[in-house]
Amino acid sequence: MKNWRALALAAIVAVLAACGGSGGAGGSAGTRAGAAPSAGASAAGGVSAFDLVHDSEAAATFVTAFRGQFPALATGRSDTALRDDGTHICLDDLPAGGDRLALARIPARFADGGITPDQPTSGAILALARSTVCAAASTP
């Protein structure tokens, strides 16, 4: 099943490259300062897996739902920062160490304004990411 997902992502990248579209706003939607590079380095046409997921409708859905469910954590954070963090959960944390690693990193990823998510909130953020951003990333 993973191979099928990887092939589907590669096909999307190939179509985007063939159409000549960059698929996103100019500039980097990539990693935050201090964040590890995402799993999906450059794909065909210079569009990375990170950019494809980051710029997806699923990531936009994550941001909208996150703002509604966790307003205290979302206050003062840009949509781009929230998309970055959601994408990192799916492309970096889950593949590298599953739920355990993702749950360990979520408090630091989403801490802002003196508020750090507790374990139940981290679990809810992970569930939200899985149902939105990770669907675009095809993370199991």
Side-chain angles (χ1 to χ4, degrees), residues 57-78:
E57 283 298 316
T61 300
F62 172 80
V63 171
T64 300
F66 188 90
R67 289 193 183 287
Q69 292 178 30
F70 312 105
L73 291 171
T75 300
R77 299 196 66 203
S78 70

Side-chain angles (χ1 to χ4, degrees), residues 5 9 12-13 16 22-24 29-30 38-41 43 47-63 79-80 82-92 95 129-130 132-139:
R5 290 176 179 168
L9 182 59
I12 291 169
V13 170
L16 287 173
S22 63
S38 70
V47 177
S48 70
F50 183 92
D51 290 336
L52 287 172
V53 173
H54 182 275
D55 296 340
S56 70
E57 283 298 316
T61 300
F62 172 80
V63 171
D79 287 358
T80 299
L82 292 173
R83 281 176 181 249
D84 287 352
D85 290 339
T87 302
H88 281 300
I89 289 171
C90 301
L91 293 182
D92 297 333
R130 279 188 176 282
T132 56
V133 183
C134 296
S138 299
T139 299

Side-chain angles (χ1 to χ4, degrees), residues 107-134:
R109 282 199 193 283
F110 290 91
D112 195 55
I115 301 171
T116 301
D118 57 13
Q119 279 307 105
T121 303
S122 295
I125 292 169
L126 177 58
L128 177 60
R130 279 188 176 282
S131 69
T132 56
V133 183
C134 296

